[in-house]
Amino acid sequence: MSSQVRGGTRWKRFALVMVPSIAATAAVGVGLAQGALAASFSVSGQDFKVSADSLVGEDLIQYGSLSKGKELHTGKDVYHPVTISGFSKATITNMCQSLVTPTPLGNITLQLRTGNKCEAAVAKNIYLDVAELDADAEFTDLDIGVAVNDGSHTTKPKPGTVADGAMFSQRAKTAKLTNVKQKAWATTAGTFTLPDLKLRLLGGDKPCYEDSEVK
């Protein structure tokens, strides 16, 4: 039975499609123990939230991996299972990114907003290291179960994140996500154009969305 699917595919909860990839992180752990996985950089001890009205990505590659970092306050090494989603280009409307940080004066929220509906944010060669993702999703020309180092991916795996080239991955010509809510450990991009950027430091907990909003 083939695991490859072509055509338009929709999932109400985008996270469901990544269950096989997250399960595949066991293989990543084996590679890590053998020293086969190199971290491209060490992530901070805090994840951050991102919301958007829509994200339209081209040439998706998606696979399970680990983000290496330091535990907040203790500085101990820690590894976070993530789903890496890479796009050759992504167009994002009404994006919000937030990070809540404890301080002696109480919690402070760093909040960034960009890409309103008049002019979207645009990123090229972007990779998202995601821990949680909820959205409505539609894929075109979807292949599930492709070896991550198959060689035919238009967008190549993020350097330093693949322990075994035979690991599970999936790809699609386009991926359209709407009502996006995600927690991530890292984002990297070749270029990221942010029109009408607004960066604010806000007192208290003021994330882009509350966990209670995710059902």
Side-chain angles (χ1 to χ4, degrees):
M1 180 177 177
S2 172
S3 61
Q4 295 187 330
V5 180
R6 293 190 177 275
T9 307
R10 294 176 182 268
W11 280 274
K12 174 63 177 176
R13 285 288 173 256
F14 178 70
L16 294 178
V17 78
M18 285 315 302
V19 169
S21 291
I22 293 299
T25 56
V28 178
V30 172
L32 182 68
Q34 295 173 343
L37 183 68
S40 55
F41 58 85
S42 181
V43 300
S44 77
Q46 298 171 271
D47 59 4
F48 55 92
K49 288 183 175 180
V50 179
S51 66
D53 286 352
S54 70
L55 183 155
V56 179
E58 300 175 12
D59 302 318
L60 167 70
I61 183 173
Q62 199 167 57
Y63 57 96
S65 189
L66 296 177
S67 283
K68 177 184 178 182
K70 298 291 184 180
E71 192 175 68
L72 197 63
H73 304 305
T74 68
K76 294 181 179 178
D77 288 342
V78 63
Y79 296 90
H80 308 285
V82 294
T83 297
I84 295 181
S85 299
F87 301 96
S88 63
K89 180 181 178 181
T91 303
I92 309 168
T93 60
N94 196 24
M95 186 181 96
C96 172
Q97 178 177 303
S98 63
L99 175 68
V100 178
T101 300
T103 76
L105 301 176
N107 288 348
I108 298 293
T109 301
L110 174 65
Q111 191 179 98
L112 176 155
R113 292 184 179 273
T114 186
N116 60 41
K117 292 182 179 180
C118 295
E119 187 177 1
V122 177
K124 294 183 179 180
N125 299 320
I126 183 171
Y127 294 90
L128 312 171
D129 293 19
V130 178
E132 297 179 14
L133 174 59
D134 285 81
D136 299 315
E138 179 179 354
F139 300 90
T140 59
D141 293 337
L142 174 67
D143 293 324
I144 300 174
V146 185
V148 68
N149 276 350
D150 172 71
S152 63
H153 291 287
T154 301
T155 302
K156 304 306 178 186
K158 182 179 176 181
T161 61
V162 176
D164 185 337
M167 283 174 49
F168 176 101
S169 76
Q170 61 186 32
R171 64 189 176 194
K173 183 61 179 175
T174 61
K176 181 178 180 181
L177 313 181
T178 55
N179 303 317
V180 179
K181 295 180 177 65
Q182 74 173 31
K183 291 182 182 179
W185 287 100
T187 297
T188 61
T191 60
F192 208 159
T193 303
L194 307 174
D196 193 28
L197 173 66
K198 291 181 173 59
L199 182 65
R200 301 287 186 270
L201 282 174
L202 308 173
D205 293 357
K206 297 181 181 177
C208 294
Y209 65 90
E210 300 290 346
D211 289 340
S212 59
E213 297 177 42
V214 180
K215 298 180 180 179

